[in-house]
């Protein structure tokens, strides 16, 4: 098996583990005493460490190892979680994520994580509280050094060892000519030359970035060369379009200066026991090996890396539509074949047709599911975002997500992420008040943001609701007038709802101060235009002092819902399962008449009985002749009603289809679906039945 | 200057009608139609045309002609006009012919009891064959359907 096969498995699993780490850390943050969560996190981290070590991603493994050390202490009750630890762990997670991203992109998964590692080590030693100040000083020192060329601990130790071994180490800054067309190619030629005559330990920017031309006019390389300075210079400058190279031979002292930050850190975190030191040495060796591997095969890397993330492919939605339509045709023929087979009664024919039926039902499931994705894939990044945002804003916020399993069309899922981020940021920044204001207003100090997704009728709704300060309509009006969105005269005539909608106008911002969270006035109008382009709608409801609710309504162009299929005489109808409470049978004598309306007893209350046949003008179903009537109890909000049907057929996943532009707004019908036998069945809109 | 246009000829209540061939998607045999409640009587319902749900109109009903039982020769002609796609039930789909655009005359006030605004004109083919050219966008005019519904209500 090719290494790439393992690699794609590794990537899939790492992503799973990272997601689980993220989720569980968030959970732990709300319940820091719960050791069982720590256990789960520990196991995930441990698996991740093992996997990355096996795959040779040493940076990933060593960072996970440090995180694991911290978690181990917590697990054994030797350490109590606090904010600093959480922040450091989250930072570690972010670093891990970017490393994995790098690997997916074909990179080596390397990243400079010394600051995080130092923090983690400080936590393990139990003196992070004292060291916090020192730690930040470290970080700033690192930042300074980063302006020139930054060497991490491992790289500097390699260089030091090389100097000690009598090899010449050079720090080379190469500048390409301003009119150079193929910067990356020239840089590659320089690298090629250096690799032939030694070993490149570190380059700034990284090899990948240079390959992608992500550098300005110069780049810096640390190399252990086997030739003299003159030869190096001659070699580099012989590459065309290179303006020049500054070559400095490094000795111990200058190296320490360059790697100053790393050295300081090493000093700040003295290696307490010998085994730790040893492991570091061994990882440093591995690092050398990895580094040389990186350096010698940059081209191979690019080609090998591209194949990694290809477990999914992008398919044009139109092709899926075509597939879907072709498949429905196939279904019709299947039913015909089944009929023929039952007439002809040949064993072999029947068997073949039965097999074909089974295969086509499997195929049907796949085709139907192909386009649909649960909104979870968008929602699952929000808890973390809210947490970080709440910290930055110094507010307390609970995010409650419901309906994450609601499925949405792939195209919509791809587009809905950014608008939701905008809305959530907006809710936190403008909606939820600072803690002091909340207490003053008699609210609990923790604000709540609800993120809901649900199907309703022909639409999917996504709502963002918070219990913050609500929209100040007077202020909205003033600003709208000031910014020229409306004139003063127009503003007077606006209804409350219209004033609310003003916040979606281009160039509108209600924040007193411009913050980097939101409030640059580019947020909400972008949200609105995006949703509109998806064929949807945004609305906002707000009660001042109580909170605001943004509601996004998205159409189901092609969406699958679970439905109950029922019969009315010869006709078949589908009732969306989402509005069905239960099904049952009532006897004729149980039906009562109140004010001429038929009602039945239902679990202690009296609910109206609606005749579906009457609503839909059914001519083939004689309800009066029924002694027992099948009923479907449906719900609209908190109202409940029962509808009478002829017969239940069963539950089924159906594909919603529109009736076309010619037939619109038909009472009590929200769309149509094509049944397995190729017939069209209409979908009843229960919301229209309960008034 | 004369321009030839291709026309699909179909039969309806002993008359011959024509629609331009580029407005016709396909011609289908009769297939099961699902009734849609709360629609005018001439809307027979919807069909599944290769995975797409399409409304079907009985042209006889639309033109106020007496409805008849469908026969072996009945067809559904699927037309597409102004992004509306609709099927017409006709008595028979007979022919595709070329006619001279200049031979289409403005229709007399009443042709076979159909309101003149649904007609584009009458084309004379040969000696005693008359072809009634339909004005599809008028036939599919939705505001009229709404009016009809209001009258019924």
């Amino acid at each position: 098996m090719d290494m790439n096969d393992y690699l794609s498995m590794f990537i899939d699993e790492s992503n799973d583990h990272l997601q689980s780490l993220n989720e569980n850390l968030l959970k732990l943050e709300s319940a820091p005493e719960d050791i069982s969560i720590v256990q789960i996190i520990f196991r995930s981290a441990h698996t991740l460490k093992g996997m990355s070590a096996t795959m040779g991603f040493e940076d990933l493994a060593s960072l996970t190892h440090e995180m694991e050390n911290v978690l181990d202490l917590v697990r054994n009750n030797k350490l109590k979680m606090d904010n600093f630890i959480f922040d450091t762990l989250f930072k570690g997670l972010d670093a891990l994520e970017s490393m994995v991203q790098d690997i997916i992109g074909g990179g080596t998964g390397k990243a400079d994580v010394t600051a995080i590692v130092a923090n983690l080590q400080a936590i393990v030693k139990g003196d992070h509280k004292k060291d916090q100040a020192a730690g930040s000083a470290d970080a700033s020192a690192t930042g300074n050094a980063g302006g020139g060329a930054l060497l991490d601990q491992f790289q500097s130790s390699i260089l030091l060892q090389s100097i000690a071994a009598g090899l010449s180490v050079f720090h080379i800054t190469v500048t390409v000519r301003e009119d150079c067309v193929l910067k990356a190619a020239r840089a590659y030629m320089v690298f090629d030359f250096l690799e032939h005559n030694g070993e490149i330990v570190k380059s700034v920017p990284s090899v990948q970035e240079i390959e992608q031309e992500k550098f300005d006019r110069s780049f810096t390389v640390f190399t252990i060369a086997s030739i003299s300075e003159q030869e190096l210079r001659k070699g580099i400058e012989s590459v065309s379009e290179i303006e020049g190279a500054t070559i400095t031979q490094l000795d111990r002292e200058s190296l320490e200066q360059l790697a100053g930050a790393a050295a300081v850190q090493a000093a700040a975190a003295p290696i307490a026991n010998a085994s730790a030191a040893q492991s570091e040495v061994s990882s440093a060796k591995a690092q050398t090996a990895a580094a040389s591997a990186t350096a010698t095969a940059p081209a191979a890397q690019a080609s090998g890396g591209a194949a990694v993330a290809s477990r999914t492919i992008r398919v044009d939605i139109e092709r899926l539509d075509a597939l879907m339509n072709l498949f429905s045709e196939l279904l019709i023929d299947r039913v015909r074949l089944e009929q023929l087979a039952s007439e002809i009664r040949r064993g072999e024919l029947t068997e073949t047709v039965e097999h074909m039926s089974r295969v086509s039902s499997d195929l049907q499931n796949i085709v139907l599911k192909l386009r649909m994705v649960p909104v979870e894939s968008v929602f699952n990044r929000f808890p973390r975002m809210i947490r970080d945002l709440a910290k930055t804003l110094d507010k307390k916020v609970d995010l409650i997500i419901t309906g994450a399993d609601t499925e949405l069309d792939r195209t919509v899922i791809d587009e809905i992420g950014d608008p939701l981020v905008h809305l959530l940021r907006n809710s936190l920044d403008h909606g939820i008040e600072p803690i002091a204001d909340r207490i003053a207003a008699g609210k609990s100090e923790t604000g709540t943001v609800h993120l809901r997704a649900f199907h309703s009728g022909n639409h999917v709704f996504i709502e963002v609701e918070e219990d913050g300060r609500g929209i100040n309509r007077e202020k909205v009006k003033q600003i709208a007038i000031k910014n020229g969105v409306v004139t003063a005269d127009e503003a007077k005539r606006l209804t409350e709802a219209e004033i609310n909608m003003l916040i979606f106008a281009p160039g509108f911002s209600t924040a007193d101060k411009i913050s980097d969270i939101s409030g640059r006035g580019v947020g909400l109008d972008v949200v609105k235009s995006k949703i509109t382009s998806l064929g949807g709608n945004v609305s906002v409801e707000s009660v001042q002092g109580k909170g605001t609710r943004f509601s996004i309504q998205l159409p189901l162009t092609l969406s699958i819902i679970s439905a109950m299929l029922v019969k009315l005489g010869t006709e078949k109808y589908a009732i969306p399962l989402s509005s069905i409470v239960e099904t049952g049978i009532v006897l004729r004598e149980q039906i009562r008449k109140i004010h001429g309306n038929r009602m039945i007893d239902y679990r202690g209350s009296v609910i109206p009985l609606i005749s579906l046949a009457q609503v839909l003008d059914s001519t083939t179903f004689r309800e009066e002749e029924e002694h027992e009537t099948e009923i479907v109890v449906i719900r609209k909000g908190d109202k409940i009603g029962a509808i009478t049907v002829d017969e239940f057929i069963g539950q089924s996943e159906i594909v919603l289809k529109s009736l076309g532009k010619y037939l619109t707004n038909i009472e009590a019908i929200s769309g149509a679906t094509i049944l397995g036998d190729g017939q069209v069945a209409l979908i009843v809109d229960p919301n229209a039945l309960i008034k | 200057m004369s321009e030839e246009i291709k026309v699909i000829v179909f039969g309806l209540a002993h008359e011959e009608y024509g629609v331009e061939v580029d407005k016709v998607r396909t011609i289908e045999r009769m297939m099961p139609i699902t009734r849609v409640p709360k629609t005018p009587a001439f809307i027979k319902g919807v069909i599944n045309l290769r995975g797409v749900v399409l409304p079907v109109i009985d042209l006889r009903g639309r033109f106020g002609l007496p409805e008849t039982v469908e026969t072996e020769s009945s067809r559904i002609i699927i037309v597409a006009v102004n992004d509306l796609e609709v099927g017409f039930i006709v008595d028979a789909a007979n022919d595709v012919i070329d006619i001279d655009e200049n031979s289409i005359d403005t229709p007399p006030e009443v042709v076979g009891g159909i309101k003149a605004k649904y007609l584009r004109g009458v084309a004379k083919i040969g000696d005693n064959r008359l072809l009634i050219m339909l004005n599809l966008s008028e036939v599919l005019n939705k505001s009229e359907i709404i009016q009809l519904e209001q009258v019924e209500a």
Side-chain angles (χ1 to χ4, degrees), chain A residues 76-109:
Chain A
N76 296 322
N77 283 324
K78 287 182 188 155
L79 186 68
K80 259 198 161 0
M81 295 300 283
D82 63 25
N83 274 339
F84 180 71
I85 302 182
F86 274 118
D87 283 345
T88 315
L89 287 176
F90 274 122
K91 266 184 217 151
L93 266 186
D94 286 345
L96 289 179
E97 254 165 45
S98 58
M99 287 180 191
V100 173
Q101 281 307 316
D102 184 38
I103 294 169
I104 293 173
T108 48

Side-chain angles (χ1 to χ4, degrees), chain A residues 274-504:
Chain A
S275 69
Q278 217 158 21
S279 77
E280 210 154 18
V281 171
S282 63
S283 62
K285 273 183 196 151
Q287 194 76 22
T288 329
S292 62
T294 328
T296 45
Q301 225 178 58
S303 61
V308 175
S310 62
R311 283 179 71 92
T312 55
I313 53 163
R314 285 179 173 271
V315 180
D316 194 332
I317 294 285
E318 273 175 27
R319 290 195 197 172
L320 290 181
D321 279 344
L323 180 66
M324 188 88 176
N325 289 344
L326 285 174
F327 182 74
S328 351
E329 273 193 83
L330 193 67
L331 275 184
I332 303 169
D333 291 342
R334 186 187 96 185
V335 174
R336 282 197 198 129
L337 269 180
E338 278 168 347
Q339 274 170 1
L340 285 177
S342 68
E343 283 165 23
I344 294 170
R345 289 173 188 277
R346 272 273 299 275
E348 289 142 336
L349 179 63
T350 316
E351 261 176 46
T352 318
V353 170
E354 276 174 3
H355 182 251
M356 193 190 128
S357 306
R358 281 196 297 277
V359 173
S360 71
S361 349
D362 288 350
L363 190 60
Q364 179 173 16
N365 279 333
I366 293 171
V367 172
L368 292 188
K369 290 270 152 66
L370 223 47
R371 284 175 61 110
M372 305 299 285
V373 187
V375 283
E376 198 178 357
S377 57
V378 181
F379 282 9
N380 61 17
R381 63 178 150 129
F382 292 145
R384 176 66 197 282
M385 189 191 88
I386 294 290
R387 175 203 174 269
D388 291 355
L389 212 54
K391 286 225 152 190
T392 325
L393 294 166
D394 204 19
K395 292 177 182 177
K396 286 192 179 171
V397 180
D398 275 344
L399 176 69
I400 298 170
I401 292 180
T402 42
D405 57 348
T406 310
E407 288 198 319
L408 255 177
D409 209 277
R410 172 83 251 177
T411 40
V412 182
I413 290 277
D414 286 345
E415 303 289 327
I416 198 73
D418 289 344
L420 283 179
V421 167
H422 265 305
L423 282 185
L424 286 169
R425 283 173 162 257
N426 193 72
S427 295
L428 249 68
D429 199 18
H430 303 311
I432 304 278
E433 313 90 328
I435 296 171
D437 291 11
R438 286 189 70 88
I439 295 171
K443 293 181 183 179
S444 70
E445 55 178 63
T446 308
T448 313
V449 177
H450 285 274
L451 179 62
R452 302 190 195 95
F454 55 90
H455 274 282
S456 181
N458 225 352
H459 293 91
V460 165
F461 287 85
I462 298 179
E463 290 181 348
V464 176
E465 183 178 2
E466 53 33 37
D467 60 349
R469 54 169 82 96
I471 295 176
N472 184 340
R473 292 200 188 85
E474 274 313 305
K475 207 164 140 193
V476 165
K477 255 203 255 181
Q478 283 165 19
I479 292 172
I481 294 167
K482 196 180 80 193
N483 293 357
V485 179
V486 288
T487 64
D489 276 358
E490 281 169 345
K492 272 181 209 147
R493 286 194 296 271
L494 292 174
T495 63
E496 286 194 355
E498 282 167 339
I499 296 169
N500 286 345
M501 291 310 283
L502 284 179
I503 61 173
F504 291 108

Side-chain angles (χ1 to χ4, degrees), chain A residues 432-659:
Chain A
I432 304 278
E433 313 90 328
I435 296 171
D437 291 11
R438 286 189 70 88
I439 295 171
K443 293 181 183 179
S444 70
E445 55 178 63
T446 308
T448 313
V449 177
H450 285 274
L451 179 62
R452 302 190 195 95
F454 55 90
H455 274 282
S456 181
N458 225 352
H459 293 91
V460 165
F461 287 85
I462 298 179
E463 290 181 348
V464 176
E465 183 178 2
E466 53 33 37
D467 60 349
R469 54 169 82 96
I471 295 176
N472 184 340
R473 292 200 188 85
E474 274 313 305
K475 207 164 140 193
V476 165
K477 255 203 255 181
Q478 283 165 19
I479 292 172
I481 294 167
K482 196 180 80 193
N483 293 357
V485 179
V486 288
T487 64
D489 276 358
E490 281 169 345
K492 272 181 209 147
R493 286 194 296 271
L494 292 174
T495 63
E496 286 194 355
E498 282 167 339
I499 296 169
N500 286 345
M501 291 310 283
L502 284 179
I503 61 173
F504 291 108
F508 187 92
S509 176
T510 50
D512 294 328
K513 278 176 286 181
I514 289 175
S515 69
D516 59 350
I517 311 296
S518 58
R520 274 152 299 175
V522 290
L524 289 176
D525 64 309
V526 173
V527 171
K528 183 154 200 257
S529 59
K530 187 99 212 176
I531 302 294
T532 316
S533 74
L534 291 171
N537 208 349
V538 199
S539 61
V540 56
E541 285 168 43
S542 182
V543 179
Q544 200 167 355
K546 288 273 169 60
T548 308
R549 179 168 73 200
F550 289 96
S551 182
I552 300 175
Q553 183 186 17
L554 295 163
L556 294 176
T557 43
L558 183 85
S559 185
I560 296 162
I561 59 166
S562 292
M564 181 77 171
L565 295 178
V566 299
K567 249 183 166 173
L568 282 181
T570 54
E571 296 176 326
K572 292 174 184 171
Y573 290 92
I575 304 171
L577 216 56
S578 53
S579 27
I580 296 181
V581 181
E582 65 174 297
T583 57
I585 290 178
V586 287
L587 298 173
R588 176 178 278 197
E589 47 271 26
Q590 287 176 322
I591 301 172
R592 305 199 229 156
K593 285 221 163 182
I594 298 170
H595 260 309
N597 295 322
R598 298 196 301 162
M599 308 287 254
I600 54 162
D601 278 326
Y602 172 73
R603 303 202 185 279
S605 57
V606 179
I607 60 170
L609 192 66
I610 306 145
S611 162
L612 192 60
Q614 221 167 7
V615 174
L616 302 176
D617 304 326
S618 170
T619 48
T620 48
F621 172 45
R622 299 259 162 268
E623 205 171 57
E624 309 82 62
E625 290 158 21
E626 295 259 304
H627 182 63
E628 288 179 335
T629 309
E630 279 84 354
I631 56 158
V632 179
V633 181
I634 55 168
R635 178 184 50 208
K636 176 196 187 184
D638 43 9
K639 291 182 199 152
I640 287 180
I643 52 180
T644 58
V645 299
D646 185 1
E647 214 178 291
F648 300 127
I649 300 171
Q651 187 184 328
S652 172
E653 301 273 297
I654 58 167
V655 182
L656 284 178
K657 302 234 173 196
S658 89
L659 289 171

